[in-house]
């Protein structure tokens, strides 16, 4: 009877050691986490570089993880609009932005790791603006866009 208890205790101890080792491996192998302070600094930077205005038709700021596909859509009146884009993130981070509703076009690549001014371009829109953003393999990134009607 005593031998069974000792074997049981050894099995329980071995199981506990295995669980502790697995938990240690799990936490040590996790990718480094970007602190909230860093992400908040990126958010403040993109909102400072591309501020809200009274004349904008739409704008949005979003934190996106690595490898994420995100679509933005807003209803607009037919006309010419200026689209402005900016992102911030860690080293080697980038996003690819397209206006394609279906399929994949090559889009515009933006490096998020550089302190660049917003990229802007004009487009003619019918009833909606559809913006598709794909984040590269490094994240998170903070992405912001602004849509403003061009007055002739």
């Amino acid at each position: 009877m005593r031998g069974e208890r000792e074997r049981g205790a050894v099995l329980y101890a071995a199981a506990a050691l295995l669980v502790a080792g697995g938990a240690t491996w799990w936490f040590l192998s996790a990718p480094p986490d970007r602190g909230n302070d860093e992400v908040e600094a990126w958010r403040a930077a993109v909102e400072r570089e591309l501020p809200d205005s009274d004349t904008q038709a739409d704008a949005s700021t979003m934190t996106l993880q690595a490898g994420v596909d995100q679509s933005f859509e807003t209803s607009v009146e037919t006309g010419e609009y200026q689209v402005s884009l900016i992102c911030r993130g860690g080293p080697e981070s980038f996003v690819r932005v397209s206006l394609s509703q279906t399929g994949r076009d090559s889009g515009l690549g933006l490096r998020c790791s550089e302190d660049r001014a917003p990229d802007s371009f004009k487009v003619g829109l019918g009833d909606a603006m559809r913006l598709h953003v794909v984040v590269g393999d490094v994240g998170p990134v903070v992405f912001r866009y602004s849509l403003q009607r061009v007055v002739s």
Side-chain angles (χ1 to χ4, degrees):
M1 182 88 140
R2 184 173 180 200
E4 276 184 36
R5 283 189 203 159
E6 289 175 358
R7 278 184 279 190
V10 169
L11 284 175
Y12 283 122
L17 187 59
L18 184 62
V19 169
T24 301
W25 170 81
W26 176 266
F27 287 107
L28 292 177
S29 66
D33 200 14
R34 296 283 180 190
N36 286 339
D37 291 344
E38 189 172 32
V39 172
E40 287 305 315
W42 295 337
R43 178 177 288 276
V46 299
E47 290 176 349
R48 182 178 57 251
E49 291 289 322
L50 189 55
D52 284 330
S53 72
D54 294 336
T55 59
Q56 71 191 20
D58 192 33
S60 183
T61 304
M62 184 168 281
T63 301
L64 303 170
Q65 298 302 318
V68 166
D69 290 298
Q70 178 70 43
S71 294
F72 300 90
E73 185 171 340
T74 188
S75 296
V76 296
E77 295 177 11
T78 300
E80 186 177 25
Y81 290 82
Q82 178 170 308
V83 180
S84 299
L85 314 166
I86 191 168
C87 65
R88 289 290 183 267
E92 304 300 319
S93 62
F94 70 92
V95 298
R96 183 154 297 280
V97 181
S98 65
L99 295 174
S100 180
Q101 180 180 1
T102 58
R104 299 256 180 177
D105 63 23
S106 62
L108 171 67
L110 299 173
R111 290 260 167 229
C112 302
S113 57
E114 301 170 6
D115 288 338
R116 296 176 38 173
D119 283 289
S120 297
F121 54 90
K122 291 181 181 175
V123 295
L125 298 174
D127 61 347
M129 190 259 330
R130 293 172 187 89
L131 192 64
H132 186 77
V133 179
V134 179
V135 181
D137 294 335
V138 177
V141 300
V142 177
F143 174 79
R144 179 167 173 79
Y145 77 90
S146 175
L147 182 65
Q148 191 162 8
R149 177 93 188 241
V150 175
V151 181
S152 312

